Every structure is written in C-alpha cells, then in structure tokens.
Amino acid sequence: EDKVVQSPLSLVVHEGDTVTLNCSYEVTNFRSLLWYKQEKKAPTFLFMLTSSGIEKKSGRLSSILDKKELFSILNITATQTGDSAVYLCAVHSGNTPLVFGKGTRLSVIA
Amino acid sequence: SAVISQKPSRDICQRGTSLTIQCQVDSQVTMMFWYRQQPGQSLTLIATANQGSEATYESGFVIDKFPISRPNLTFSTLTVSNMSPEDSSIYLCSVSREGSTDTQYFGPGTRLTVL
C-alpha cells in the first residue's frame, strides 16, 4: 500500500526562523511529489517535483526531492506569521490517485 | 491554474437528509476529483468525476452514498446522501488539465456539519 509520512506533525517557530518540513514516501512506480499549503479549507499548490536534486524555489519557499532515499523537504526561510498553515505532501504513483500525508501544522509566532 | 468555485461554502444539515455540492471551473479541464477531509485528517479521494459517464469510486466509497455528476468539462456535483454525523467533513473538488495532469488545483471547499 502506498504511504506518505510527514514530519514533524506540528511545529511552532518565531518569526524570522528557518524551518524544514519532511516528507518520506513508499510507493510503486513513483511519478511526482507535490507540496500544498492549506490555511483554511482549500489546499494551495506550491510545488511539483519529479526529478532528484533539482531545487524548486518560490520566494522564501524551496523544495527538493531525493528519489534514491525516497524523501522531499520543504524549506521556508525568514518565516512570517502568514506562513502559519498546514503543509501537505502528496505523491502520484503509477495510475493511482494522489496519496496525501497527514500534514505538518506550522505556527509562526511574532 | 484554474479558478474554481464551490457552493455552498458551508452547511449544517440534519441526519438522514442529503446535500448536493456544486463545483464550477472557469475553463475546460481534463480531470475533476472529489475529496473528503475529516476533522484532523488528511485528504482522501472519494472519486474521479468522468465527463459523460459514471464516476470512478475509490475503495470504501459507493455511488449510492456519494452520487456524482459531470455533465460537461467545467461543472460537477457531489451529493452526500442519507447523512450521518460521521459525514461531517470538508468536501473539496479539484481539477487538473491535459498536459499537466499530475498537478491538481483545489476549490475553496465545503464545510459540512451533520447534526
């Protein structure tokens, strides 16, 4: 059975800190890994990763994939209170639908 | 990305009733999906809404409980039938486009509370 595990489950940091969120997976026929930010109800797309070692970057957020070790990290630098959210990792494998992890709840305090 | 709207945004319903949730996209999309997110849990796929044919349901979800329609490439509905308190969840539709089918974009969600 395909599995996606995120860690930590929750994290509290101060504004300006840098955080690293982890996502490990066990799937057959890996296709892609996606990161989403969920603030209230709707997950907002952040990144899609398909190749190892190529960093995707958007402002203070960046992500990288390691297909050999089967994990991805999401980095957020100089965190702001607006970064407070649940960050979801999801993986596509073969012809199966997206499998989501349980998410990491990030709280950034002023 | 696509602009996706869902109606209603939230509802409180009585046990035994049914609710239909609508998902509208501003442009034609290849795939439309319906997810459920129970309190404190991650997203679980209910079904893939197929245009012009029956939806494809995931294990644990059945058409009688969650009938789905997709009459065209921009619109779909999900009905939650004969509701019980266990159906209290956020229901989300998502879409993907041809050429980028792995990337899914989500609608704003419907928060359902069943009393």
Side-chain angles (χ1 to χ4, degrees), chain A residues 74-96:
Chain A
L74 176 69
N75 279 321
I76 309 174
T77 59
T79 52
Q80 303 170 357
T81 54
D83 295 326
S84 297
V86 174
Y87 290 84
L88 296 167
C89 172
V91 175
H92 267 299
S93 70
N95 290 320
T96 61

Side-chain angles (χ1 to χ4, degrees), chain A residues 6 31-34 36 38 40-45 48 50 86 88-89 92 97-103 105, chain B residues 8-10 33 35 37 40-45 58 90 92 100-111:
Chain A
Q6 292 185 246
R31 270 179 23 208
S32 58
L33 184 146
L34 290 82
Y36 289 88
Q38 185 177 30
K40 289 185 179 176
K41 292 184 294 186
T44 304
F45 172 74
M48 185 177 77
T50 56
V86 174
L88 296 167
C89 172
H92 267 299
L98 271 179
V99 176
F100 280 84
K102 292 187 184 296
R105 180 175 296 278
Chain B
S9 62
R10 60 175 59 221
F33 307 90
Y35 286 82
Q37 187 176 30
Q41 302 297 313
S42 193
L43 279 71
T44 301
L45 181 66
E58 297 302 309
I90 296 172
L92 294 149
S100 182
T101 53
D102 274 15
T103 303
Q104 290 185 25
Y105 299 96
F106 285 83
T110 297
R111 187 183 297 276

Side-chain angles (χ1 to χ4, degrees), chain A residues 6-7 28 48 64 70 89 96 102 104 107:
Chain A
Q6 292 185 246
S7 63
T28 54
M48 185 177 77
I64 198 160
L70 308 183
C89 172
T96 61
K102 292 187 184 296
T104 294
S107 299

